[in-house]
Amino acid sequence: MRPNIVAVAAFAALLPVAVHAQPIVQSQEGIALENQILQLQQQVQQLQNSGGGNGGSALGGGQAVPPPSSGAAPDGGMVASLLNQVNQLQAEMDKLHGDIDTLQNQVNTQHAQTEQEIGDLKFQMSNGQGGQAQPGQPPVPGAAPAHDAALQAPPPPSNPPHPAAPASPRALLHTAQQDYEQHNFTGAEAASRAILAHAASSPEAYHAQFLLAQSLAAQGRPQDAAIAYDNTYNLNRAGSEAPASLLGLARSLAVIHQNEAACQTLASLASQFPTLPQDMNTRVDAVRHLARCS
């Protein structure tokens, strides 16, 4: 076998390693690159078959490869060209993997920052709603005025909550959905909380958590709604309510002027769920405008 045929055989043996050396890139660009490498592998195999002296080559339309005219290897230039193309394609594949790693790190950083904002918000809410003085005590120096703290405190429910009857989670969820549709948001809140308190491991708990967040938002309680939306998302980050939970969280954060956290949440929504229904895209644009995202 001539030296150039040996090079072809060695190159063909190394091509599968080049193709599979990196994890498969799940994108149109990555798939196109892998297809090009596969085509080059097939061309090298055809060159290898044609160089053996028996039969024709698929590249030559079934005709035998003519013998060299000056003693030079007839396939050396083709092999060098194919090697160069494979090296270029492999470099592009490596760059794609690097871009994907960078994007994933950005998403993880944004999510960690958003979780920190939510944790700070929970801490603030659990420590006196902004420093409001207790009855009979002087106001804390430097604390917000009492009327400002009252604006932050959630209003008392206007409708009596549903009694904690021993109803099934499915029945309670149905009641909560009916109350929400009839704009009885405090009733929807109470029924949702009953499911979470007594049937937290039931399949209805996930939807009850989301309905609780919606009910709190509809009552004008954005701080409570932000926490509830965040809890819904963390229950199942790939669940059916995950995109709407992120959108609700972003809007609640924007309402309480946590614009940076709201914009980071919208960025996470776009990266994790790039394809959204048109009506949700319209709401995303509205929240982006509200939070003044760049």
Side-chain angles (χ1 to χ4, degrees), residues 4 8 11 40 43-44 46-48 50 59 73-85:
N4 63 302
V8 171
F11 176 58
L40 290 174
Q43 292 178 19
V44 172
Q46 291 166 350
L47 283 175
Q48 182 182 3
S50 66
L59 292 176
D75 302 325
M78 178 68 72
V79 172
S81 175
L82 291 176
L83 278 171
N84 185 50
Q85 293 181 52

Side-chain angles (χ1 to χ4, degrees), residues 173-194:
L173 181 61
H174 180 69
T175 299
Q177 291 170 336
Q178 282 188 326
D179 285 342
Y180 185 83
E181 292 172 359
Q182 296 171 4
H183 294 184
N184 179 11
F185 302 122
T186 54
E189 175 192 354
S192 299
R193 289 190 185 278

Side-chain angles (χ1 to χ4, degrees), residues 111 229-237 242 245-246 272-273:
H111 180 70
Y229 278 124
D230 185 61
N231 290 339
T232 305
Y233 172 69
N234 287 323
L235 278 177
N236 187 352
R237 297 185 178 185
S245 297
L246 286 175
Q272 296 177 54
F273 304 98

Side-chain angles (χ1 to χ4, degrees), residues 35-278:
N35 288 339
Q36 291 181 45
I37 293 176
L38 182 60
Q39 291 174 1
L40 290 174
Q41 181 185 8
Q42 294 172 348
Q43 292 178 19
V44 172
Q45 184 64 41
Q46 291 166 350
L47 283 175
Q48 182 182 3
N49 294 338
S50 66
N54 299 322
S57 168
L59 292 176
Q63 301 295 326
V65 178
S69 58
S70 61
D75 302 325
M78 178 68 72
V79 172
S81 175
L82 291 176
L83 278 171
N84 185 50
Q85 293 181 52
V86 170
N87 289 335
Q88 292 177 352
L89 291 174
Q90 188 62 44
E92 293 181 32
M93 289 284 290
D94 293 340
K95 183 180 182 299
L96 266 180
H97 283 286
D99 293 342
I100 290 174
D101 291 340
T102 300
L103 179 60
Q104 185 61 50
N105 290 335
Q106 291 175 353
V107 171
N108 293 339
T109 301
Q110 290 172 350
H111 180 70
Q113 292 174 345
T114 302
E115 288 295 318
Q116 180 63 42
E117 294 283 348
I118 294 298
D120 293 343
L121 181 60
K122 291 179 180 179
F123 178 78
Q124 293 172 9
M125 293 186 64
S126 63
N127 283 273
Q129 296 279 347
Q132 182 179 6
Q134 298 295 326
Q137 296 180 354
V140 178
H147 64 277
D148 291 340
L151 289 176
Q152 298 179 6
S158 57
N159 296 325
H162 289 279
S168 67
R170 179 178 298 182
L172 281 173
L173 181 61
H174 180 69
T175 299
Q177 291 170 336
Q178 282 188 326
D179 285 342
Y180 185 83
E181 292 172 359
Q182 296 171 4
H183 294 184
N184 179 11
F185 302 122
T186 54
E189 175 192 354
S192 299
R193 289 190 185 278
I195 296 174
L196 297 174
H198 303 291
S201 60
S202 66
E204 290 78 14
Y206 176 65
H207 299 287
Q209 179 65 56
F210 179 68
L211 190 55
L212 171 63
Q214 289 182 303
S215 302
L216 293 170
Q219 293 178 62
R221 298 162 60 182
Q223 290 180 331
D224 294 334
I227 295 174
Y229 278 124
D230 185 61
N231 290 339
T232 305
Y233 172 69
N234 287 323
L235 278 177
N236 187 352
R237 297 185 178 185
S240 59
E241 308 293 0
S245 297
L246 286 175
L247 178 58
L249 172 59
R251 187 182 188 285
S252 299
L253 290 171
V255 170
I256 59 178
H257 308 296
Q258 300 292 327
N259 291 342
E260 182 178 357
C263 295
Q264 290 173 353
T265 303
L266 289 178
S268 296
L269 172 62
S271 63
Q272 296 177 54
F273 304 98
T275 304
L276 296 174
Q278 183 57 42

